[in-house]
Structures are given as structure tokens and as C-alpha cells.
Amino acid sequence: MSKIKIIPLGGVREEGKNLYVVEVNESIFVLDCGLVFPEEELLGIDAVIPDFTYLVEKKDQIVGIFLTHGHDDAMGALPYLLEKVDAPVFGTELTIELATISAKSQGLHQHIENFFKIDEDVEIEFEDATVSFFRTTHTIPGSLGIVVSTDEGSIVYTGDFKFDPSSSEQYSTNYGRLTDIGEAGVLALLSDSADAENAIQSVSDKKITADMTEVFRNEDGRVIVASIGSNISRIQQLFYAAKNSGRTIFLADD
């Protein structure tokens, strides 16, 4: 029988700074390592990061840092943690590329050789648990959920996600894999989805693309579109809508 601890160091009842510690016997699995940008009253503060004290005290037990996706709320604090601990980092191709850029910007070139690219078909066996992955829908490609399988059942961490059957293939959730995980037995579900308690149905990506295309076709002059830079999916939809309506895109930097 395994001794299991689940410790949130950030991301609970807040949007950002996601970091869960899953401790199985003597092995520590770090799920995400995010930051949150400060409120206006925090003058002179660039970022708010989790308290790494527990991880630093047990740094020799960390077997891996597993990232769900490439947004700052999931991986923005990674360089700050790597300044204090030396552990392998796992993520999809885009996530690892973004983590590499972030690490290099902090002068942590020596850690990059310990970054490993994975996908939803990868399964990694450790002494106390096995880690596997499942594809989720988010606004950035390469978003995965994480499964830490123990002899007591699986600990499933979704990262932040949404369900949208109309999403394109590179953003689609693997519903079959979710079914398999559930049938195998789940000990704990660590789930994050902003506004999940809102009873109003979310607008599908398919409808958003159709609406943008209609606007582009019906307006005679220039159309200005603003979007959050991290919403790669929305930017891709903009490109599709422009192509379908014969528009030319000019990208402006703020």
C-alpha cells in the first residue's frame, strides 16, 4: 500500500500559479509550475510565484516536473524553481520549446538538456508510480492532462481545459482515453476549468469562426480584431476567417 500526499502549492481558488505536488512514498511528482501576474497595487512586482520551500527541502525526491501546456499560469514559474532544484521536465513539443525560451532568458542553459518532449501516447514508469497523459482542449496546441497511476488508483490532473466537440483536431479532447482512465479507477481528480460553475453554455469554436467570417465578408472597410496573445486557437481562427473571406491580415504589435 502506497503512502500518498497531494499538496497544492498554488492554483486553488485563483486563476494562475498552478502547482500541485503529488507525493507517492518517497517520490515527488510536480504537476505544472505556473505564475500569476500581479494586481495593480503590487508595484515593482513582475510576477507572483508559488512558495517552493517544501520542494526545496525535498528536492532530492523530485522525480519529474510535468507541464500540461505552454501558458504562464502552467509553466511561467519554472525558471524560478529550476534555480533551486534540478529535476527533469516533461511536456509536449510546443510546451518544451516555450519552456526552453523561458529558461534561456533566465540564463539556465544547463537545465535544457534535462527537458524531454512527450505526447499523449507516452507512458513513463517510475519506482513508485507510472505517469501517462491524455489530450485536452485548450487555447494553445499541445495541451495534455496528466495521470499519476499508483497501486491505490490514479491521480488525474486536467490542467485548465474546456470541452468543445467542434474544436479542430490539434485541439480536440481524447474522450476515449478519458473513458479508459475512469474505468481503470480514479483515486483523485484535480480539475481546473475557469467559470465551470457558470450555467450559461459556452460558445463553440466553430460558431466563433463562422461569426468572424461573416463580419469579414459583410464589412467594406478595415476590420480591427483584438485578442489575447496567448490564445493561439483564436488567432488561428482569425487566419481561417480571413482566408475564407478573401481578406489580407496585418499583424500589429502593441
Side-chain angles (χ1 to χ4, degrees):
M1 179 179 293
S2 296
K3 182 179 180 182
I4 300 173
K5 296 179 183 177
I6 301 174
I7 307 169
L9 298 183
V12 176
R13 298 191 182 278
E14 61 181 338
E15 292 189 27
K17 210 172 69 177
N18 299 327
L19 195 163
Y20 279 91
V21 174
V22 175
E23 193 168 337
V24 184
N25 299 326
E26 298 301 315
S27 299
I28 289 179
F29 303 83
V30 179
L31 311 183
D32 275 346
C33 187
L35 57 75
V36 66
F37 293 107
E39 300 293 336
E40 293 181 358
E41 62 268 18
L42 295 177
L43 300 178
I45 304 298
D46 295 325
V48 180
I49 64 175
D51 184 347
F52 297 135
T53 303
Y54 185 80
L55 293 176
V56 174
E57 291 174 350
K58 297 196 172 188
K59 60 183 179 180
D60 293 336
Q61 295 176 229
I62 300 175
V63 298
I65 302 168
F66 304 87
L67 305 175
T68 57
H69 64 284
H71 284 161
D72 284 330
D73 62 348
M75 52 153 277
L78 180 64
Y80 301 97
L81 179 59
L82 293 179
E83 288 177 345
K84 302 176 182 296
V85 306
D86 186 11
V89 178
F90 302 88
T92 56
E93 183 174 5
L94 177 59
T95 302
I96 289 299
E97 290 297 335
L98 293 171
T100 299
I101 294 171
S102 182
K104 286 182 176 179
S105 70
Q106 297 285 353
L108 301 173
H109 296 75
Q110 71 276 16
H111 290 275
I112 295 172
E113 63 182 20
N114 220 12
F115 287 7
F116 300 96
K117 297 176 182 179
I118 52 88
D119 56 38
E120 67 166 340
D121 297 321
V122 169
E123 187 173 279
I124 310 171
E125 293 185 3
F126 296 93
E127 182 177 353
D128 294 304
T130 299
V131 177
S132 57
F133 309 90
F134 57 95
R135 192 171 65 249
T136 59
T137 300
H138 197 19
T139 59
I140 187 171
S143 179
L144 294 177
I146 302 166
V147 182
V148 181
S149 300
T150 75
D151 55 15
E152 300 296 316
S154 294
I155 299 160
V156 180
Y157 174 57
T158 65
D160 47 328
F161 74 103
K162 64 178 180 177
F163 287 128
D164 186 355
S166 74
S167 296
S168 58
E169 183 177 356
Q170 63 265 43
Y171 294 94
S172 62
T173 298
N174 189 336
Y175 294 100
R177 172 76 172 126
L178 290 179
T179 301
D180 293 340
I181 294 169
E183 291 178 347
V186 175
L187 175 66
L189 173 63
L190 315 178
S191 184
D192 180 4
S193 185
D195 294 327
E197 297 177 347
N198 191 333
I200 300 174
Q201 184 174 349
S202 300
V203 178
S204 71
D205 282 346
K206 184 177 181 180
K207 186 177 188 309
I208 291 173
T209 303
D211 288 349
M212 284 196 294
T213 303
E214 183 179 358
V215 171
F216 290 173
R217 285 174 174 170
N218 292 333
E219 292 295 328
D220 294 330
R222 177 186 301 169
V223 178
I224 298 174
V225 181
S227 175
I228 298 174
S230 61
N231 193 336
I232 307 300
S233 174
R234 187 73 71 243
I235 295 172
Q236 185 64 64
Q237 289 172 312
L238 172 62
F239 278 36
Y240 285 145
K243 178 181 178 182
N244 293 337
S245 57
R247 288 272 184 172
T248 300
I249 293 179
F250 171 76
L251 299 176
D253 188 353
D254 61 358

